[in-house]
Amino acid sequence: MLPQMNGWVSCFSFLLLCTYYMATARNANTLLELSPQEYFSSLQPGRASLVYFCQDVSPGVRLFLEQLENSVGALQDYGISVVKVNCLKEDVSRYCGKENALMKAYLFRGNVLLREFPTDALFDVNAIVANTLFALLFNEVKYITTLVELQNLENSLKGRSNVVFAYVPAIGTPEHRAVMEAAFVYGTAHQFVLTTEATLVKDIGHEDSDALSARLFFCHCQRVPDLTQPCRRTLMVQSLATLNIHTYLKLMAAPIVTEVAEEPEKVSTVHLQLGLPLVFILSQKETYEVDKRTAEFVAWQLLGKAGVALLSRDSVDLNILLQSNIALKTAEEGAPIKYLVLEDTDEIIALLEDKIKGEQIQEDEDESDSNDQDIQDDQVMEAVYRDRKRELPLELIRTLTEETFNAALTETAHMVVLFYASWEAVSLAMLQSYVEVAIALKGTQGISLAKVNCWDWPDVCMKQNVTQFPITKMYEKGARSLTYTGMLGTAELLRFLRLSSISCPVKLTTMEEVDEYLSGEVHADSSSYHSTSVLGIFHPRMKEAREAFVEAGNMLRGYVTTGLYAEDDALVLARKYAVPLPALLLARHEDHRIDSVPLSKQSAPDIVQTIRSQLLETFPEITVENLPDYLSLEKPLLILFNNGGLNQRVRLEMLSLANGKGHEAFLACWMNLKNTPVGRGVLKAYFSTPPPLPLLAWVNLHSGGQVFAFPSAQSVTETNVLSWLEKLKAGLEIPSTTLSDEAWKPPLPAYNFLRMMEATLPEFTVHTVYSRGGTDELQQAEEVSEEKSTLREEQVEEPGLEAENGQSPGRDLRGTVPRLAGREKPPKRHTEL
Amino acid sequence: MMAPPAAQCAWGLLLTFAFYMGSCCTDSASTLPHHNYCIIGAGPSGLQMAYFLQRAGRDYVVFERSHAAGSFFALYPRHRKLISINKRHTGKSNSEFNLRHDWNSLLSHDSRLLFRHYSHDFFPEADTMVRYLEDFASMLELRVQYNTAIIHVRLERDSRAWNGHYFILTDHNSQNYRCSLLLVATGTWVPNVINFPGSEYVEGYESVSINPEDFAGQSVLILGRGNSAFETAENILGVTNFIHMVSRSRVRLSWATHYVGDLRAINNGLLDTYQLKSLDGLLEGDLEDLAIVKDKKGKLHITLKFYLENSNSSAGAESITLPQDELDNFATRAPYDRVIRCLGWKFDFSIYNRSLRLMPGKGNKKKYPLIKPSYESRGTRGLFVLGTASHSIDFRKSAGGFIHGFRYTTHAVHRLLEHRHHGVPWPSSVYPITQLTNSIIKRVNEASGLYQMFSVLGDIILLRENATAFEYLEEYPVGILAELELHTGRKAHNGLFVVIMEYGKNFSGADKDVFYYNRAVGEAQHAWQSNFLHPVIYYYKQLPTVREMRLRPPDWPLPRPDAVHHIVEDFLTDWTAPNAHILPLRRFLENCLDTDLRSFFAESCFLFALTHQKLPPFCQQGYMRMQGLVGNERLRHHAVEAGLLEDHTVMHFTDELLGGQRGSRDQLLKDHVIPGSPLHYLVTTKDEL
């Protein structure tokens, strides 16, 4: 039986070669209708036929007959005739008479009945073709249900033949048909195996995606010389369609690595013919063996996606860089061959996968690609834009106008005014914080909040010297205004407003007042806003220094509370804190500590500078708010990242580092990721894998940008860190990353209107020639203007066309013509009418 | 600065002194009354310049032949209705913006001197203008010498003078005045007259009756096709038999040409009656060929000069051939009762001595003196032409011939003079580069000088080194862009932007259909095809040269830039839309400057500050100076949703890792040089083999 079958199949294979691709085109064939007698007498030996014995046509039967008729053409391609036998009333033969025969179709080869199908299994053309072929190819396509069966089969074929293993969720599906059709053609070349058991797919290690979709694997058993080694299995990535399977099997049959000895330009393989890229591994005599192994390794990775060829440089005279080790040829006709220098096989694979992906994306997104530039990429603008529909609770903020502005300033002791522009995003973001400040200050005496929209009242803003937005000013009755220069945020502005209502510096006249001031009790209500109070002490004769201090206090108003003591007994105070006059006392309320600093330089800006630097901590917690202060020191950072507060031991170790030998050279600080979640982003940028916390890092921010991580195995102690720092200095450590020193470039290109104009406005290009000279430019210009004249003719007609078609009701209401909203494809515009 | 001390005295004193000297005296330098700036004419432009000079504390005088300011408006327009709009409500309080729709006010710091306080009419009465100008001169205490008609101007060479010569002005009393600089603000007031046989029967616009009753039942021919012609027709349209209007060129409608000097819709009643065949009509013909013959009954017949030349002049009117004798359906065969000439005015060239070489322009600009784009005479250094007379610069294009335009060009001339003679550079403000987009958006949305004097005045943005800051100059005449450094005292070494407003290149014109379907562009990517007035920004890496300016394409305000950006036209002329207007502008500026001009929340700046060695300008100039934008939770949430800010409170490392790898993969395509056997690396790095 088996040899017979084989002969039969090969006979049909030949036939199939001629008809394979025409299969679906010829379905005009109608269902052959015969009487029982005619049918049985027409049967030829070896020829298969699918037959239905029809008695009377019920609606259910009519539906089946329609499907049967539809599959006539498809089955004919495989040499199977489809027949409807009209039974005679009185006929009570084997097939016509039986009651249940109405529900069945029969498959004969010659006059031998091969299989009977219930009609509901033949629900459509796919099912009819799949089932019919499945029955005919019973011996070619093994149906299995367990992994063991598959392995046994593979083992039996090792060294002899390859296995095509398909999983289909159900019999009679389009995928099943595709597999059967492939089996019909390739059944002699490979062993086909079919299963409907999803668990089998899972068992061979492909459980990741949804189990319901059909799969096809190519098991490379022919190359396995040794029974102990398993057959490699390659999954077909494409969907199970006839053409895909055909392509796939062709690729699998191709040699894994093609060895070539001619120029890449001339090489053509099955891959290129099928539209896939071909990778050349450029080899040399000395490294040939190694290169061959490399090529095979790569080829296995790329199997089904690209071809790999091994080209010996010695055999061809290549006019390329000596370093190049890879060449890439794409199926695109005339595309140049790319020569590359790659370091790693992963790079080749990545390159090709990107290429394939890139091509797919390009196909999908050809249009949207250029529209990226229309998409807002400014986080502030986009955030404000998304929030535009929300109404801010502005009741607590007065809106001032040109008429009311001056009067309003005299109404309260402190009038805070936000100058903004209603169309400007940063202004509007600030306005939100301003509203929150207003809510926080609600009911506070002597301070009221107002805003001026400079888009409405440009003159007011100009008179107040507001030339950019947003600007917040505080107007004090009878005094000069104070411009807020801090962070544009709720907490920061609130702190400024609370502190700036205290006039600075406070004049203290008695020792009691001094003690009270230094203890932080003076402005207890706003003490939460200032952690350090500054007191300047002067001898009554030090007039200049005192005045400078007063000025400095004014400059720092809103940021630092300052006090002044300049009585006769200032010297007593100075002695108490062991400091020569003039001096500053800094009461650090949190630490309950009072530091004294002699004032060496006595100009106001110097005093401001001294106070500012004194306010910096030795081992600060870095936050979004205070980072700029510390970065201005321009020192490398030794940052301890932690998720939460620091434990006492580490804090002490770090403190002694910060105060210890060589501490001037760097800034020791720490970051609490709970307070500053964006610190995680910093860590991500520093380390490819998230390191365990706490983590100590050295960041050379201002010189070179290297980042080093303190070994997590060591504990953070002063000695360990110091010796690590020594190693860093000696260059013995490898940085985990180097921060980019690239300048910030435009995120996306702009519309190139100049080029667009050149294409339609001749005078523009002609002018170029005159002004800048050059003959080739002249030619170009001529070409362009020629192109253009044709372009113009086309364009001129367009408005009329558009109007007539009536299918393009304008772009949107942004134009002036009252039209219905609705987008159309990018309009070609007319330059003339 | 070069004036003798005497000139610093009150000019009244000098005048008395001058009277004593009388006309007998010579022009010897020491005895003549001297002024640094002499302005001829106390009309709108003369007063406008006087205002600027006064504010700058300069020595100036205005000579006015009439007893009051604005004498042109005391007579014209004859029918007393101004066609310059007085829009009192715009729904906006922005005073600068509102000037875009106030075509009558002069510029001043005094908000009482806004025309809307003078008239409620959209098209105000001419008398109101006279009153306004008088108030402007008196309230601002401008130094105007009335009843002084300058009848002659000549030059006196003197090497000490600002320009190598003084201007000697002689008035009708033969009183001479010596001026360092002459500002001609006389307007165009000499009626255009065409002489042809029979022109003696023609009445002029300047004297024709304005009482419609006088035209009842008459047939009228009007020569000319400007606003004065139509205004005259409008007045008598209802009472005449018919009105015919003849001129050489076709009618130019201002709403089609976008030029306010062309026929305004308010005057176009005759177009209606013509096109609806209600007897009135428009004809084209050259007035030079025309002749008018009066018959015995006093009726006026149109004929051609050609016929007159062929006939015996001594014979009576009846013997003259009329066109209808040969062509019996000749259009204007019906006799007229009156012919009215409404041909406009021209500049009075007569008072200038030849040595000043004040020449008329060419073609249709011959009614204006020839001047340079700096408004200085081509013939004489130190002579500037202001106001309507300076319209040759932008005739039939922009608004330089009208109050709402020349108030700005006058301002520009004043700024040029301040720099040239007093060393005061063109006013400018310096901003950090982060304010660049904002500065432009602010100006294109409110600036009225750019808007009215479109394609003539432009804002100039001079970049500072490394593009970290820029200098903003307002309303500079772009015609003299090449000489910017010379005229303004500002340096343009690092590239510049020019912000101007333009109509679409092929949109305006007498024969253009300005209502065609899809005339308005809505999408930013097609902005360059915008038709209505819209902002255009030119970028030059270096100042264009004089030669490049000269060779620029006709009708182009500027030569080819290195890059150009159009902000898409807007129905509301409100260019503040974040996505359609601001975003494309930012991209343009970014690409010109090769930097990133986005704004960032403080959190992003913090991240950049710790992970990059360089910062985007917004972070550098804001956050790093302790002025970062903190924002609030809601805004940050929006930014996270938009994918523009990462939410670090949620940990997802994998995304970032993938992102990083992708970036490095792009690097692969750049050739790396590897020592030794290239494939060695491929093998040794892989254990799988």
Side-chain angles (χ1 to χ4, degrees), chain A residues 282 287 290-291 293-294 297 323 325 341 343-347 350 354 373-380 382-383 385-387 390 423-424 429 432 436 455-459 467-468 485-489 623-625 627-628 631 637 671 677-678 680-682 684-686 688 690 701 704-705 739-741 744-751 753-754 756-758 760 763-764 767-768 770 772 802 811 814-816 819 823 827 829-831 833, chain B residues 92-95 431-432 435 438 441 445-446 506 512 516-518 520-526 528-529 547-548 551-553 556 560-562 564-566 571 576 578-580 583 586-588 590-591 594-596 598-601 603-604 606-611 613-616 623-624 626-630 632 634-635 638 642 644-646 648-649 651-653 656-657 665 668 672-674 677-679 681-683 685-686 688-689:
Chain A
L282 307 183
T287 58
V290 188
D291 294 344
R293 280 198 283 145
T294 307
F297 173 77
Q323 295 97 334
N325 51 7
V341 182
E343 292 183 36
D344 195 307
T345 49
D346 277 356
E347 292 181 2
D354 267 10
Q373 62 202 127
D374 298 344
I375 296 165
Q376 183 62 265
D377 50 2
D378 182 312
Q379 51 183 232
V380 180
E382 183 63 16
Y385 184 72
R386 284 177 180 232
D387 206 46
R390 208 175 58 86
W423 48 264
E424 201 255 342
Q432 299 214 353
E436 290 165 4
W455 164 229
D456 288 332
W457 308 104
D459 294 341
T467 53
Q468 42 182 292
T485 57
M487 297 275 267
L488 310 180
T623 61
V624 171
E625 287 72 33
L627 177 72
L631 282 190
L637 304 179
M671 199 186 293
V678 64
R680 294 186 207 284
V682 177
K684 269 187 222 174
Y686 289 174
S688 47
L701 207 51
L739 304 181
S740 154
D741 67 340
W744 287 74
K745 298 287 178 191
L748 284 170
Y751 300 128
F753 288 140
L754 202 58
M756 297 182 206
M757 288 162 97
E758 275 170 346
T760 49
E763 63 268 33
F764 221 62
H767 167 66
T768 321
Y770 284 127
R772 316 249 153 131
E802 278 180 13
R811 287 166 295 284
R814 278 185 287 177
T816 54
R819 290 176 245 134
R823 291 201 160 245
R829 301 283 310 173
H830 26 74
T831 49
L833 198 98
Chain B
K92 294 201 165 69
S93 58
N94 186 315
S95 51
Y431 302 100
Q435 292 293 318
N438 283 350
I441 290 292
N445 277 294
E446 66 180 25
N506 284 300
K512 297 283 164 68
Y516 71 82
Y517 204 76
N518 278 347
V521 175
E523 278 154 359
Q525 68 198 88
H526 305 294
W528 69 277
Q529 287 161 318
R547 182 182 143 80
E548 280 170 335
L551 291 174
R552 70 184 188 266
W556 284 78
R560 184 194 159 88
D562 291 298
V564 71
H565 182 71
H566 290 249
F571 192 48
T576 59
N579 293 315
L583 174 62
R586 192 196 85 213
R587 295 218 190 283
F588 167 73
E590 281 173 338
N591 281 279
D594 199 28
T595 186
D596 184 336
R598 288 179 293 180
S599 42
F600 297 95
F601 288 112
E603 188 181 307
S604 298
F606 173 86
L607 181 65
F608 299 153
L610 284 174
T611 57
Q613 295 192 53
K614 290 185 177 136
L615 286 178
Y623 178 71
M624 289 307 280
M626 293 301 288
Q627 295 176 14
L629 177 66
V630 178
N632 58 18
R634 190 170 41 246
L635 288 176
H638 281 307
L644 296 169
L645 186 68
E646 202 179 333
H648 293 283
T649 50
M651 297 235 264
H652 37 104
F653 281 93
E656 190 74 9
L657 287 177
R665 198 168 294 164
L668 287 178
H672 299 285
V673 178
I674 303 162
S677 167
L679 282 166
Y681 287 86
L682 288 176
V683 181
T685 49
K686 279 290 134 204
E688 286 97 316
L689 289 174

Side-chain angles (χ1 to χ4, degrees), chain A residues 660-676:
Chain A
K661 188 170 127 278
H663 72 273
E664 299 88 357
F666 62 89
L667 175 76
C669 54
W670 68 288
M671 199 186 293
N672 183 345
L673 298 185
K674 286 223 169 89
N675 296 339
T676 314

Side-chain angles (χ1 to χ4, degrees), chain A residues 562-580:
Chain A
T562 49
L564 171 69
Y565 187 78
E567 299 303 315
D568 291 332
D569 52 357
L571 214 56
V572 179
L573 202 59
R575 249 182 240 131
K576 181 176 166 191
Y577 291 101
V579 69

Side-chain angles (χ1 to χ4, degrees), chain B residues 173-212:
Chain B
N173 292 324
S174 304
Q175 169 63 46
N176 286 341
Y177 306 89
R178 197 183 64 179
C179 312
S180 303
L181 204 125
L182 182 64
L183 297 154
V184 175
T186 53
T188 56
W189 61 272
V190 180
N192 261 321
V193 179
I194 293 185
N195 282 313
F196 52 81
S199 59
E200 64 271 23
Y201 306 122
V202 173
E203 297 168 84
Y205 171 77
E206 59 278 8
S207 56
V208 71
S209 164
I210 54 167
N211 182 3

Side-chain angles (χ1 to χ4, degrees), chain A residues 174-207:
Chain A
E175 292 84 11
H176 181 212
R177 175 184 171 182
V179 173
M180 293 323 298
E181 287 181 317
F184 201 97
V185 182
Y186 292 97
T188 46
H190 313 297
Q191 174 65 51
F192 277 69
V193 179
L194 185 75
T195 186
T196 50
E197 299 294 321
T199 46
L200 198 48
V201 181
K202 285 183 187 161
D203 289 342
I204 65 169
H206 283 271
E207 74 250 86

